[in-house]
Amino acid sequence: MGLETTARRPGGLNRYLESLLAAQRRGGLDATALVLGDPARDGASPEGVVAVVTPGGSLASGAWAIDRAARRLARPDVADLHFAGTASIVATVGALRATPTVVHFQGPWADESVHAGAGNVNAATKRVVERAVYRRADRCIVLTSAFSALLQDRYGVAPWAIDVVAPGVDLERFTPGSREAARASVGVGEGRVVLAVRRLVPRMGLEVLLEAWAKLGAPDGDVLAVVGDGPAGPQLARLAGSLGIADTVRFCGRVDDDELVGWYRAADLTVVPTVALEGFGLVVLESLACGTPVVGTDAGGLAEALAVAGQGPAVPAGDPAALAEAIRRALAAPQDFAARAVRRSVAEEHGWDTVAARHAAIYSSVLGGHERPRVVVLDHTAVLSGGELAIARAIGGVGDRAQIHVILGEEGPLRTRLEHAGATVEVLPLAASVRTMHRDAVDAGRLSPSGALATARYVVTLARRLRALRPDVVHTNSLKAALYGGVAARLARVPCVWHVRDRLAPPSLPPRAARLARLAARTLPTVIVANSVSTLETVGVAGGHVLASPLDPAIRPSTRAHDPAAATRFAIVGRLAPWKGQHLAIEAFADAFGDGDEVLHVLGAPLFGEGDVAAALAALAERRGVGERVVVRGFVDDVAGELAATDVLIHASTEPEPFGQVVIEAMGAGCAVVVADAGGPAEVVTDGVDGVLYPMGDRAALAVALRRLAGDAELRARLGVAAARTAAAYTPDALAPGLLAVWAEARGRLSRRGVSDRRG
């Protein structure tokens, strides 16, 4: 169901529907479209398009007419709704209310109306209609990820109910052709031709284009051709006159398809100057299919469309000077046969037959129900700490075997990592006082009433969001997220997986905080996983699983040639904190190499208010006489590059480490590793086989191990080769089946407790 026939109004939405329908019927799909139109006035509709005559002039009467027409047809397997206004009756209370539904979101109807001058009541009514249609849909199809985000944020649609499918282009109609013949057909001379194919309404940015054209000072013979009609036509004509460019601007009005192709072929450049709410811009693909380049703005999904099409960069919307400069550069670029062929090849990747096949797959999935688990991951922070990097890598390893949406408590760099890994992400802001609360505050008398109230409100808000998303599993990635997320998941009746990455025992946690966490572990999660056996033992709950943190895929065994005569390079990598043992590593290094050439790099930065540890470590190195060979470098983003240049990785934690991500990373890079014999790292390293173990906190034993490795290049090489073999079992791909199995177990346990699937 769409809006109108293209005979009545040849807009982008109407062309999209008719083109998609034609491709679906060519592909053997029994598809029929119901749209508003009058065959007696508009002429015959394309095959498969049923024009419904509206008894009244309002859109509401049109929606009722569409519903009556739908009742006369055989009930379809799937209803594909292309416009919320005409579909509002048929999909909510009408003929197809019980039919599996796919909805196309090509833009926010209410917001577009506001840009066109509609009043508040009109816009509010349209928003109610939109929400009713979109939130009842089994799936929503959008043209760009920008509109996917809008559909989630504005209308509350779940991310796994959204598919991003770029529009198609009619590759038989829009083709390159003779520029000279096309110019003769549309009546332009030998000057440069800039084309805008737009509906004449304010959000299309044609006022900005006219101002940009005036700034260019186009010479006589150049033409700005504006193809399309709309209510802003007279105003635009007056603006062209006031700018003194009326002689070089041609308002062509509505044209038929043949003339439109002629204009694309005749043009040197197509400009899409939209200032707001652009879904994709079909004209981008149509112009490229004819071999003509495109300049456009960054409004809505247009920047994404230009990137997909290899055109750009996008121009800031509403900036006449920037648009004028972009047009000038584009007109100065070579327009030879090879360039036109490249643009055509880009368009050929977006044929309607390809788009129709994507739609057919979506219809099948709607009818068959979802098979991939839908998982919401919770984390209170968005900093790039160990656990946060680990979940981003794990999500990347799962790939398309699950649909993963992450809810963070704050904005931060983790968001980009997660999106690159394939997850969708939203931020549900958590009060800073709660997000940054130190574990020591859990002890008596240090939890403020305001913090408790903020947490309670957050739990209720999160539970409401989970009920709207309807995931199969909630997966918490931090201890704070486990506590508030576990309660919210219970309220939403969704199974919850706790991924425990911290030891729930002193000294990692204060005694009371540890007791609270262990008590919650008995009641809140459906399944518990821990990053090591050592961590799991501190939880105090039987039946948990061990699921290690994955190795960074960028880390590979180093291929650099090791010079036996070169000084050995040691490194200790991790957050700067007293228990991480950087001070112990420096002391042992000084004991072992008081007057040698060896160097030690200390990489990492303090987090969570732990003070200027770096300065204290540098001062310690100076006091021990090794200040020139101990380099305290702070945070580094390229850990893989640092490890590739390292001979020996020191792990010197003075408390049992839950897992020790950096140990696996160093092993993956082929480094020899020296590791304390407690906690998670000791479960990974086999002494003398793929690393060296020493008694945790024993400075003398660590110094002996360092001297041994510095003096034996052959031993370092042998340990490094074995370490890389061990690390291969910790790649994201290798660990993904275990994570999927945990999610499956959580779903199964909740089902056995009798909780039904609310999707039916």
Side-chain angles (χ1 to χ4, degrees):
M1 267 136 246
L3 178 55
E4 298 164 308
T5 62
T6 55
R8 173 177 285 194
R9 183 183 299 175
L13 186 154
N14 300 331
R15 289 209 319 277
Y16 180 104
L17 174 56
E18 290 188 4
S19 299
L20 174 61
L21 180 74
Q24 289 175 328
R25 293 175 70 89
R26 284 196 303 272
L29 191 67
D30 182 10
T32 301
L34 300 179
V35 298
L36 300 179
D38 186 348
R41 187 186 66 181
D42 303 329
S45 300
E47 184 179 2
V49 177
V50 176
V52 178
V53 179
T54 310
S58 70
L59 191 58
S61 64
W64 283 109
I66 289 285
D67 183 57
R68 287 192 295 272
R71 293 178 186 277
R72 293 192 292 268
L73 298 176
R75 180 174 172 178
D77 296 311
V78 176
D80 189 345
L81 313 177
H82 285 248
F83 180 58
T86 53
S88 56
I89 303 300
V90 72
T92 56
V93 298
L96 304 181
R97 63 187 180 278
T99 302
T101 302
V102 173
V103 175
H104 279 74
F105 177 74
Q106 296 191 12
W109 180 33
D111 291 355
E112 291 171 0
S113 298
V114 170
H115 274 272
N120 292 337
V121 174
N122 179 292
T125 301
K126 290 176 178 177
R127 287 194 182 97
V128 170
V129 170
E130 287 182 292
R131 287 193 180 94
V133 174
Y134 299 144
R135 296 183 74 167
R136 286 178 62 89
D138 294 280
R139 294 285 274 279
C140 292
I141 296 176
V142 296
L143 303 176
T144 60
S145 58
F147 268 22
S148 174
L150 181 61
L151 196 55
Q152 294 175 55
D153 297 342
R154 185 75 55 84
Y155 301 99
V157 177
W160 33 68
I162 302 174
D163 290 280
V164 179
V165 182
V169 60
D170 188 335
L171 296 172
E172 294 183 1
R173 175 178 297 167
F174 296 98
T175 61
S178 168
R179 182 172 180 269
E180 292 73 19
R183 287 186 168 225
S185 71
V186 299
V188 295
E190 291 301 314
R192 298 174 300 179
V193 176
V194 173
L195 174 66
V197 181
R198 302 272 78 189
R199 177 160 168 74
L200 308 189
V201 294
R203 71 181 183 86
M204 295 300 181
L206 293 167
E207 296 89 345
V208 179
L209 176 57
L210 292 177
E211 292 180 30
W213 187 250
K215 290 180 180 295
L216 283 169
D220 291 342
D222 285 3
V223 174
L224 171 60
V226 180
V227 171
D229 62 4
Q235 176 186 342
L236 292 169
R238 288 193 297 271
L239 178 59
S242 67
L243 291 171
I245 56 174
D247 291 343
T248 60
V249 178
R250 181 169 164 183
F251 292 98
C252 306
R254 182 194 297 190
V255 303
D256 61 26
D257 288 337
D258 290 339
E259 187 175 351
L260 179 59
V261 172
W263 275 112
Y264 281 129
R265 291 174 178 171
D268 296 280
L269 177 68
T270 297
V271 180
V272 191
T274 313
V275 294
L277 305 176
E278 184 72 70
F280 185 93
L282 281 173
V283 295
V284 174
L285 295 178
E286 291 173 351
S287 183
L288 294 181
C290 295
T292 303
V294 182
V295 163
T297 69
D298 58 2
L302 186 53
E304 188 174 335
L306 293 168
V308 167
Q311 306 290 290
V315 178
D319 188 335
L323 184 59
E325 177 60 20
I327 293 172
R328 185 195 63 75
R329 289 197 305 268
L331 290 175
Q335 300 296 326
D336 54 19
F337 175 81
R340 287 179 176 264
V342 168
R343 289 189 282 269
R344 171 68 184 185
S345 68
V346 170
E348 287 175 347
E349 298 175 4
H350 297 274
W352 276 114
D353 289 344
T354 300
V355 176
R358 286 285 311 276
H359 282 70
I362 292 169
Y363 300 156
S364 296
S365 68
V366 167
L367 291 171
H370 80 278
E371 297 180 356
R372 296 182 297 163
R374 297 170 172 177
V375 182
V376 168
V377 174
L378 303 178
D379 205 320
H380 73 283
T381 183
V383 300
L384 296 179
S385 192
E388 285 64 44
L389 291 171
I391 195 63
R393 292 166 190 159
I395 290 171
V398 168
D400 62 2
R401 288 174 284 182
Q403 296 171 284
I404 301 174
H405 182 65
V406 183
I407 300 179
L408 300 175
E410 64 173 346
E411 285 283 2
L414 177 62
R415 178 172 194 153
T416 302
R417 294 287 184 101
L418 292 166
E419 289 172 339
H420 286 169
T424 55
V425 182
E426 70 175 286
V427 174
L428 192 63
L430 178 63
S433 60
V434 177
R435 197 177 62 247
T436 60
M437 182 179 64
H438 199 275
R439 296 167 180 179
D440 291 339
V442 178
D443 282 352
R446 300 182 60 188
L447 287 175
S448 69
S450 62
L453 180 60
T455 303
R457 287 174 175 167
Y458 191 80
V459 166
V460 172
T461 301
L462 179 58
R464 188 181 300 118
R465 181 61 177 142
L466 293 176
R467 284 194 292 269
L469 290 170
R470 296 183 295 178
D472 297 309
V473 178
V474 168
H475 184 113
T476 65
N477 191 59
S478 67
L479 185 54
K480 287 179 183 176
L483 295 172
Y484 68 68
V487 176
R490 282 280 183 178
L491 292 175
R493 302 185 71 201
V494 180
C496 179
V497 172
W498 268 25
H499 202 145
V500 184
R501 302 185 185 277
D502 299 288
R503 291 170 54 84
L504 306 187
S508 298
L509 286 179
R512 288 178 178 168
R515 287 196 295 272
L516 172 64
R518 289 196 296 269
L519 177 62
R522 297 189 184 98
T523 57
L524 295 181
T526 313
V527 176
I528 292 176
V529 295
N531 54 10
S532 68
V533 173
S534 174
T535 300
L536 186 60
E537 289 173 347
T538 69
V539 178
V541 175
H545 302 275
V546 174
L547 190 62
S549 298
L551 175 68
D552 183 350
I555 293 176
R556 297 284 189 275
S558 174
T559 57
R560 71 184 176 98
H562 292 271
D563 181 0
T568 305
R569 170 171 161 157
F570 295 85
I572 181 168
V573 182
R575 174 161 58 97
L576 299 188
W579 76 274
K580 286 288 188 176
Q582 287 91 356
H583 64 286
L584 177 67
I586 292 172
E587 294 274 18
F589 179 84
D591 291 345
F593 312 114
D595 56 358
D597 296 326
E598 292 78 9
V599 294
L600 170 63
H601 288 249
V602 181
L603 308 176
L607 296 176
F608 310 124
E610 285 164 335
D612 192 2
V613 184
L617 293 174
L620 172 62
E622 287 292 338
R623 288 197 304 273
R624 291 301 313 272
V626 291
E628 293 183 356
R629 292 185 291 122
V630 173
V631 185
V632 182
R633 294 177 47 198
F635 175 80
V636 294
D637 192 48
D638 183 16
V639 174
E642 294 294 336
L643 292 176
T646 296
D647 297 306
V648 180
L649 185 285
I650 303 172
H651 182 266
S653 295
T654 57
E655 300 172 11
E657 185 85 48
F659 177 69
Q661 180 70 44
V662 71
V663 174
I664 286 293
E665 291 175 340
M667 295 173 78
C671 294
V673 295
V674 181
V675 175
D677 64 351
E683 299 170 23
V684 176
V685 175
T686 302
D687 187 36
V689 176
D690 51 15
V692 174
L693 297 177
Y694 72 95
M696 185 175 68
D698 189 332
R699 180 173 123 191
L702 177 56
V704 169
L706 299 185
R707 280 195 297 269
R708 177 187 174 198
L709 288 170
D712 194 337
E714 183 178 342
L715 174 61
R716 295 199 305 269
R718 177 171 59 80
L719 293 175
V721 170
R725 286 197 298 267
T726 298
Y730 293 85
T731 64
D733 287 344
L735 295 175
L739 185 56
L740 290 165
V742 164
W743 291 337
E745 179 181 340
R747 294 174 69 184
R749 285 193 183 183
L750 199 69
S751 296
R752 288 194 294 273
R753 289 211 302 262
V755 177
S756 63
D757 186 343
R758 293 169 303 284
R759 284 175 296 278

